[in-house]
């Protein structure tokens, strides 16, 4: 595992690829940092890139952010579009995040493995283009086929303000939030909550 002094916490790299119908430009944020994080979890660069080569999804998430979510075909990773303020937050926190992950590899924090700005350009002189900033993270819902799907999923942010899913929707499989989690825990443990 590289020492923090071997990592450039503000580094970016640019990559350009051409296909028969478009040009793909990728800005790679913090490549040495994410390479070090991937090495903590014994993820080889080639395997990681191979996983990212075929994606499924591209659907809007259930949250308020309306960000797009993709999955690698092997379901190991989730790719989520991020907003400008989330990109800035990652820029501000990347060094502390790295040191936390390095010191606590079994952390319950989400494991981020890459951050990229991807531009797809096509048409005459690449005049038509679309751009996404995406973060790649582990898919914590990936389970071996012998296990069933999770019976409930929660999106916990650490805040309780406005963080509830309608109980009818929650019971039908919609993602729960803090208040749903708290109420369910209280009911299952027969605790009278506040």
């Amino acid at each position: 595992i590289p020492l923090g002094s071997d990592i450039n916490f503000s580094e970016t790299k640019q990559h350009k690829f051409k296909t028969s119908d478009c040009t793909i430009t990728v800005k790679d944020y913090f490549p040495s940092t994410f390479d070090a994080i991937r090495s903590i979890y014994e993820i080889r660069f080639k395997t990681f890139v191979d996983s990212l080569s075929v994606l499924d999804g591209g659907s809007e998430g259930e949250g308020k952010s309306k960000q797009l979510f993709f999955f690698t075909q092997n379901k190991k990773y989730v790719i989520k579009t991020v907003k400008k303020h989330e990109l800035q937050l990652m820029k501000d926190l990347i060094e502390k995040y790295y040191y936390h992950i390095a010191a606590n590899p079994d952390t319950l924090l989400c494991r981020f493995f890459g951050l990229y700005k991807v531009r797809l350009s096509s048409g005459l002189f690449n005049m038509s283009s679309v751009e996404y900033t995406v973060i790649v993270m582990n898919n914590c819902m990936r389970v071996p086929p012998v296990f069933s799907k999770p019976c409930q999923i929660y999106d916990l942010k650490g805040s309780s303000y406005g963080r509830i899913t309608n109980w009818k929707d929650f019971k039908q499989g919609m993602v729960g939030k803090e208040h749903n989690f708290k109420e369910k825990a209280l009911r299952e443990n027969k605790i009278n909550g506040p």
Side-chain angles (χ1 to χ4, degrees), residues 35-72:
D35 189 45
I37 290 171
R38 289 190 302 268
S39 73
I40 291 169
Y41 297 106
E42 299 177 358
I43 300 169
R44 295 191 173 155
F45 181 74
K46 184 180 180 340
T47 341
F48 179 70
V49 171
D50 288 348
S51 291
L52 297 177
S53 64
V54 180
L55 303 179
D56 296 325
S59 58
E60 206 173 84
E62 292 183 25
K64 291 180 187 175
S65 71
K66 302 299 181 197
Q67 296 302 295
L68 299 177
F69 286 83
F70 300 86
F71 294 87
T72 57

Side-chain angles (χ1 to χ4, degrees), residues 7-171:
I7 298 172
N8 181 341
F9 293 106
S10 58
E11 172 187 24
T12 61
K13 286 186 179 176
Q14 196 88 3
H15 311 280
K16 198 172 219 174
F17 312 94
K18 290 190 183 254
T19 69
S20 59
D21 54 352
C22 75
T23 301
I24 304 166
T25 308
V26 178
K27 184 174 187 178
D28 189 350
Y29 292 95
F30 324 114
S32 61
T33 307
F34 285 116
D35 189 45
I37 290 171
R38 289 190 302 268
S39 73
I40 291 169
Y41 297 106
E42 299 177 358
I43 300 169
R44 295 191 173 155
F45 181 74
K46 184 180 180 340
T47 341
F48 179 70
V49 171
D50 288 348
S51 291
L52 297 177
S53 64
V54 180
L55 303 179
D56 296 325
S59 58
E60 206 173 84
E62 292 183 25
K64 291 180 187 175
S65 71
K66 302 299 181 197
Q67 296 302 295
L68 299 177
F69 286 83
F70 300 86
F71 294 87
T72 57
Q73 200 168 44
N74 62 11
K75 305 294 186 233
K76 282 186 177 182
Y77 307 106
V78 176
I79 296 95
K80 175 189 173 286
T81 56
V82 295
K83 295 182 177 182
K84 283 183 181 181
H85 74 275
E86 293 170 311
L87 173 60
Q88 185 58 52
L89 182 63
M90 199 59 168
K91 288 177 178 179
D92 295 343
L93 295 177
I94 191 65
E95 187 171 356
K96 289 178 184 174
Y97 178 78
Y98 167 75
Y99 283 116
H100 179 80
I101 293 290
N104 306 281
D106 293 328
T107 181
L108 294 178
L109 287 181
C110 187
R111 295 174 184 174
F112 297 118
F113 298 130
L115 180 62
Y116 309 95
K117 185 176 286 186
V118 181
R119 174 177 287 177
L120 306 169
S121 305
S122 62
L124 189 60
F125 305 112
N126 290 325
M127 295 292 281
S128 175
S129 70
V130 63
E131 184 175 276
Y132 297 102
T133 302
V134 297
I135 193 155
V136 180
M137 61 191 92
N138 69 310
N139 181 3
C140 66
M141 300 306 294
R142 182 175 181 246
V143 292
V146 294
F147 298 111
S148 63
K149 288 184 177 182
C151 54
Q152 292 170 326
I153 299 173
Y154 296 91
D155 177 15
L156 304 176
K157 305 272 191 217
S159 167
S160 59
Y161 180 74
R163 301 287 301 156
I164 189 164
T165 298
N166 173 292
W167 280 101
K168 182 180 174 190
D169 295 337
F170 176 64
K171 287 179 181 177

